[in-house]
Amino acid sequence: MSDTVAPEARRAGLRLPAALSASTPVFVLLGVLLIVLAFVDIGFYEPDRLLAFIRRAAPLIILAAGQYFVMVSGGFDLSVGSIVTVGVVVAAELFNIVPDMPWPVAVLILLVAGMVVGLLNGLVSTVLAVPSFITTLGMMLILQGAVFFWTQGAPRGYLSEGYRTLGRGMVPGLPWLPWAVVVLVVIAVAAVLFMRSDTGRTLVATGDNDAAAALSGVRVHRLRVSAFVLSGLAAAMAAVLVGGFTGISAQAGNGMEFEAITAVVLGGVALGGGRGSVVAAMAGALSLQTLFTLLTMLGVSGALESTVQGVIVIAAVALGAVSWSRRRRVPNSTKERR
Amino acid sequence: MTPLSGTTAPPPLSRVAPARSRAGLADPVVLVYLALVAVYLIGWIIVGMRGGDFVTVANTVTILQNSAALGLVAIGQTYAILAGSLDLSVAYLISLVTLITAQVMEAAGIVAGVAAALLLAGLVGLGNGLIVTKLKVNAFIATLGVALILRGYLENTYTGPAGDVPTEFQRLGYDRIGPLPVSVFLVAAVATLTWFVLRRTSLGHHIYAVGGDREVARLSGVRTDRTVIAAHVLCSLCAGLAGVFLASRLGAGAPLAGTDGQYDLVSIAAVVLGGSLLAGGRGGVIGTIGGVLILSVLDNVFDQLGVDPFFKNVVRGVVIIAAVALYARQSVARRRQQDQRRSG
């Protein structure tokens, strides 16, 4: 018995610090922010307000999980913000065209559409060998242009009450539990399980060194495409929540792509891929949302908020970089220039 | 006729000539300008069929005039991208520069206005470079963070247009030398200077080396940090010039001048469209100018056809992806050829 446990424990003991070192900064940051928040406003930790906070954070956390898949495999997805905007506007338009559509159908249509956009991103990036930065930037221009062209800046239609349940409603029978939190937990668990599966591990390996992965029999293209599909799916899910929570707007997803990327980088995921955990990426998103909330509570004017956000993001990433450069300098420098 | 000339002279010729011609069509810069000619011809035909005038002096001047601001930003972005970095803060920097230019000019005259603008731009570039090199923050996040800082300052300080540009200074935006607008000469001068810096100075060579492989450059004695910082300062200075130019066009400072033009992402797209490698180390300013002109000609065609401005973005996105896919295919094909030659 002890014979089988000991090596296991030793391996875990060795692995734990290595895993922590990448994501320590984000958990420290999150902890500090949450403690400061407690001092600023004790009432924040009342269950209903805490759950309301998590509900507000859910879309960004889901986006960060999707972005993580793409980034850890060595790419970028700049199109997720525009997918959120398009998702919100298209949903409203759907209900305009078919007023009595059951809401699960509308959600399903959005999710499939998000996956199709992700599939296109993935195919262009892999088969046509366009850098994903440019692919998804082009996709962002296309989607933004298309939604404004279609609506002329003023989205029509409405979102049915049923459709908005996921974003702002409570679970029946549990009046304190928002649906969005349930959705978030399900997606978070699914993301963690996925990353622990063989496919997930291969995804990280691909981001670390795609040539080596390809030589060991990984279908690199297929794997990368599925990362983009998952990112598109996550963005569409975020669109459903955002639409339910805030209603129709042609600016719904503005800047969310940068927030998601920032969140993932805060979580210690290296740009260029191959390192970092999905939990840390989601913690990065939660940290960002906590930061926004804190700034609002402190009464930092809406305009200055982005200045403070900029300073803190740079500082947090810089701190993360310090601990990294000590630990894994050599792999880091050879990796970034593939 | 002597054995010496017979053996030394011809072989290099025969070895070099085919290699050069093969590189010719695969060279991204050649492709960019071929694409530019194609876009121009197609535009001419389509606009002509609709009864519009395309190939006129007036319209050509319009195209050049409208490409000036993006041209300046994209030239700057070329420095950053070649050095293996990139700059997402240029859009907010441009907005801020238009405001500072106009306000200082109103108070203290033209020279002071331009000086203040360039000083501010240089400092922002220095900040970007220091954050990227000394704090080791990835350029994407570093310049995005700086963009957020500038944005907060802008939104907190300005609610609308501010400052006033003297009429004499507006001549920069509107005057012409012969048929050509002054702005064209400004862009040409900056482009020439950039070409000179990149191709003929040690800083330029270092930028390519650092962008190609930072570690190798460092090991061969390049001061990589300084090089990256210099690239960022030059990038921001170019964006600053774009801001000064826009202030002259608009007659006042405008808080949305930079973001409305989407100069951050579109300038990066223009550089990559011009055949530079997004990862750094390969490309150049000549290609960038070609990329900017392609976007500008497209814009002009759409304007003449009365295409919806939102729809223009859709086509712009498609063109950028398609163009970059074209180069990528070429380089993939070339690499495959090389691999085959090496293994065969």
Side-chain angles (χ1 to χ4, degrees), chain A residues 145 148-150 152, chain B residues 302 305-314:
Chain A
F148 276 96
F149 175 56
W150 192 25
Q152 288 301 315
Chain B
F302 292 146
L305 297 179
V307 170
D308 184 285
F310 297 124
F311 191 70
K312 281 202 294 198
N313 254 352
V314 177

Side-chain angles (χ1 to χ4, degrees), chain A residues 301-304 306, chain B residues 92 150-159 255-256:
Chain A
S301 91
L304 262 187
S306 47
Chain B
Y92 290 105
L150 293 175
R151 175 186 164 186
Y153 178 76
L154 269 174
E155 289 178 353
N156 195 45
T157 318
Y158 301 97
T159 48
L256 295 176

Side-chain angles (χ1 to χ4, degrees), chain B residues 69-226:
Chain B
L70 179 62
L72 289 170
V73 191
I75 291 171
Q77 199 72 256
T78 310
Y79 283 112
I81 289 179
L82 286 179
S85 195
L86 88 181
D87 190 347
L88 292 172
S89 69
V90 286
Y92 290 105
L93 175 62
I94 288 170
S95 299
L96 189 56
V97 165
T98 63
L99 290 156
I100 298 291
T101 308
Q103 285 183 316
V104 175
M105 269 188 196
E106 196 179 19
I110 292 177
V111 178
V114 175
L118 293 184
L119 184 69
L120 170 73
L123 284 176
V124 171
L126 186 65
N128 279 331
L130 287 174
I131 295 171
V132 169
T133 54
K134 303 298 178 193
L135 296 184
K136 297 193 192 335
V137 177
N138 181 284
F140 190 97
I141 299 293
T143 56
L144 182 63
V146 169
L148 287 173
I149 294 172
L150 293 175
R151 175 186 164 186
Y153 178 76
L154 269 174
E155 289 178 353
N156 195 45
T157 318
Y158 301 97
T159 48
D164 192 17
V165 174
T167 334
E168 312 93 79
F169 187 67
Q170 293 207 26
R171 302 169 74 115
L172 169 69
Y174 291 95
D175 266 15
R176 290 181 185 181
I177 301 172
L180 290 174
V182 179
S183 56
V184 171
F185 289 96
L186 178 67
V187 178
V190 175
T192 312
L193 192 69
T194 302
W195 180 86
F196 183 80
V197 169
L198 288 175
R199 291 292 177 186
R200 292 283 179 269
T201 66
S202 58
L203 173 64
H205 297 306
H206 289 172
I207 287 179
Y208 278 100
V210 170
D213 192 321
R214 189 179 290 204
E215 201 54 26
V216 169
R218 193 181 66 80
L219 291 174
S220 29
V222 176
R223 292 174 189 272
T224 54
D225 281 5
R226 271 189 209 181

Side-chain angles (χ1 to χ4, degrees), chain A residues 219-294:
Chain A
R219 292 174 192 271
V220 169
H221 277 10
R222 198 179 286 184
L223 207 56
R224 286 223 162 103
V225 171
S226 37
F228 278 102
V229 171
L230 286 177
S231 175
L233 178 66
M237 195 63 238
V240 173
L241 296 187
V242 167
F245 190 63
T246 54
I248 309 160
S249 148
Q251 274 88 38
N254 265 6
M256 278 188 134
E257 62 280 338
F258 289 123
E259 284 174 14
I261 291 173
T262 307
V264 175
V265 175
L266 270 183
V269 178
L271 281 102
R275 241 191 295 131
S277 83
V278 68
V279 178
M282 291 189 283
L286 191 59
S287 308
L288 268 190
Q289 196 67 46
T290 315
L291 178 64
F292 299 151
T293 310
L294 188 61

